[in-house]
Amino acid sequence: MKKICLPLACMLLPTLLLPGCGPTYDADALSIMGKTSDLNKPYMTEIFDHYRETTGENLNLIGIVDEEFETEALRRMGTEEAPDILLHFHNADLNRFDVQNNFCALNNESWVNDLTDSAKAYCTDSSGTLLGLPFWESSVSGCYYNTKLLKGLSAATTQEDFDGLCAALKRKGITPICWPADGCSWMVQFGLDPIFADDPKVLEQINRNEIGYADIPAVTDMVTWIAGAAAKGWFGDKYMQTGWDDISDMLSSGEAAMTFIWDTWFYTDFKPRKYTKEDFALMPVFMNTAEGGTYEGGNLNMMMVNKNSEKRERALEFLSFCAQPENYNVAFRDISTVSVFKEQTTNIQSKMVTDAKDSIAAHERVSTANTKVIGYSAEEAVGALNKLFLGQTTIAECIRKMDEDRRAAAKQLGIAGF
């Protein structure tokens, strides 16, 4: 559960100030709306402070409690309470905001060429419109493996190689993959990403409700592989009781050789024991949906400019300020993140990622399942898989449940066709 400091929460809700809660709303200043927790990230507070100090201009930071953000931000758009700048991820929830009529296309901004290819791709919609300035920490998700436990074995480059690697590790008495089935839900999207990122037509069809997961053979291939990996013992014998707090122990002790996760985790949550982060390297995730494997690029919060704002030009100037190397390098100093800008130099990049840069360049996909499949819920997808693991359902029934949950969520969002 996230804890919010009350004085900060008051400061970030200027339109809902309580007596004695802090500064009043400045009608002449730009307004920036986002989740309270997002606006409180260290690189965000740093860029806001740096902007104030450098320009002498004020900012109104409108923080919305995380759980209420989508509903409240949607309510405010198109009213006098709409912000000049909205922070949002390029995910399925963004579809509710009438993006074309509410936000500026940013393709012609001066800073566009300084974005890395993956960051630019994440912020670009299917019509080629750049929706926002990505200003966030980024990561590379893949299969992180213990090089010492794999001594004498090679990192995989094909699905067949990976399956053989898992079988060899199992024979050595090592759990091949730490699969945290107890409360962790991100793993499935890594397998789904290639299906939709590599074939935009399939993505369009599922989002128009013309097809479902059950109509896509690769989804069945993925679920079949995951179920088979569990049955073969590749996840060990306690994966259903393994949660977020257990991943570090399993990897640092050497109980498990690999896990599907992101590089920044090694800097924020990994606790060294027998092995340290220097003992790990990176290869693609293999879940039987991409022969050469896949990496997922980072999910990035975007600064989107309200095209109907009277302060639109000033808002665009604020984005330009944030996109200058002398400013973003102040904000991201010593932050563990893959570079979002080409001239980003003060951030920390893991050796695991830099060593695998050629493989990443060949096999990275922009985050797609979690961000662009309408109605996708990682928690519900893993919930359906867990019932399969427990023998409570079949592979076909598992996929049917994933479809039912996705369609119900899309219908609740009011998406046409559902």
Side-chain angles (χ1 to χ4, degrees), residues 50-334:
H50 187 59
Y51 175 77
R52 293 187 186 101
E53 294 167 2
T54 302
T55 67
E57 298 286 342
N58 198 7
L59 292 170
N60 295 312
L61 303 180
I62 307 172
I64 307 296
V65 175
D66 290 19
E67 293 76 12
E68 300 174 7
F69 174 74
E70 298 297 341
T71 301
E72 181 63 13
L74 183 62
R75 182 192 71 78
R76 295 193 186 204
M77 292 306 300
T79 74
E80 292 182 354
E81 298 178 85
D84 304 308
I85 296 170
L86 178 72
L87 266 64
H88 205 289
F89 289 86
H90 191 187
N91 56 25
D93 286 322
L94 191 59
N95 292 316
R96 302 189 294 172
F97 282 79
D98 190 5
V99 172
Q100 184 176 356
N101 290 317
N102 280 321
F103 298 100
C104 293
L106 302 174
N107 302 64
N108 297 322
E109 294 301 301
S110 60
W111 41 262
V112 172
N113 289 336
D114 190 32
L115 297 178
T116 62
D117 290 343
S118 59
K120 184 179 178 182
Y122 178 85
C123 299
T124 301
D125 68 12
S126 57
S127 67
T129 300
L130 186 65
L131 303 177
L133 170 71
F135 201 89
W136 204 243
E137 61 192 274
S138 187
S139 59
V140 175
S141 295
C143 179
Y144 288 83
Y145 65 93
N146 187 318
T147 57
K148 292 184 177 177
L149 293 181
L150 264 68
K151 188 174 182 180
L153 301 169
S154 299
T157 58
T158 67
Q159 185 69 51
E160 184 180 6
D161 287 346
F162 187 74
D163 291 353
L165 179 60
C166 290
L169 287 166
K170 181 70 168 58
R171 287 193 296 270
K172 294 172 86 172
I174 301 168
T175 297
I177 304 167
C178 173
W179 181 280
D182 184 11
C184 298
S185 60
W186 62 81
M187 298 82 72
V188 178
Q189 69 198 53
F190 301 156
L192 291 175
D193 277 351
I195 298 172
F196 299 107
D198 295 357
D199 193 341
K201 183 179 179 181
V202 172
L203 179 62
E204 290 176 7
Q205 288 176 320
I206 201 166
N207 282 342
R208 289 197 298 259
N209 202 24
E210 295 173 355
I211 62 172
Y213 291 138
D215 302 306
I216 306 171
V219 174
T220 299
D221 292 343
M222 180 192 75
V223 175
T224 301
W225 182 87
I226 294 172
K232 294 169 187 171
W234 292 355
F235 300 159
D237 56 8
K238 59 180 183 180
Y239 64 98
M240 293 297 293
Q241 293 79 46
T242 299
W244 174 261
D245 292 334
D246 304 308
I247 305 172
S248 179
D249 282 345
M250 288 194 67
L251 292 180
S252 63
S253 67
E255 181 178 350
M258 303 181 286
T259 197
F260 302 152
I261 208 159
W262 47 93
D263 59 300
T264 54
W265 176 84
F266 283 90
Y267 293 84
T268 57
D269 293 270
F270 181 78
K271 297 176 178 62
R273 289 172 57 189
K274 183 176 181 180
Y275 299 101
T276 70
K277 66 177 181 291
E278 283 73 27
D279 294 316
F280 287 82
L282 173 61
M283 65 177 155
V285 167
F286 292 91
M287 274 195 252
N288 210 27
T289 59
E291 179 58 24
T294 186
Y295 301 95
E296 185 190 61
N299 294 297
L300 304 169
N301 221 338
M302 306 181 295
M303 294 183 182
M304 304 176 67
V305 173
N306 181 356
K307 71 190 306 182
N308 303 307
S309 167
E310 294 180 356
K311 302 188 186 79
R312 181 177 63 185
E313 293 306 316
R314 287 172 57 194
L316 290 170
E317 290 171 3
F318 175 79
L319 264 61
S320 293
F321 176 91
C322 294
Q324 298 304 310
E326 62 268 26
N327 298 324
Y328 60 66
N329 277 319
V330 169
F332 285 97
R333 186 177 303 280
D334 296 331

Side-chain angles (χ1 to χ4, degrees), residues 38-58:
D38 289 350
L39 293 173
N40 193 34
K41 293 288 187 181
Y43 40 87
M44 299 306 293
T45 59
E46 188 68 39
I47 197 64
F48 297 148
D49 289 344
H50 187 59
Y51 175 77
R52 293 187 186 101
E53 294 167 2
T54 302
T55 67
E57 298 286 342
N58 198 7

Side-chain angles (χ1 to χ4, degrees), residues 20-35:
C21 200
T24 57
Y25 187 84
D26 182 350
D28 294 326
L30 286 173
S31 59
I32 303 175
M33 180 186 293
K35 293 179 181 179

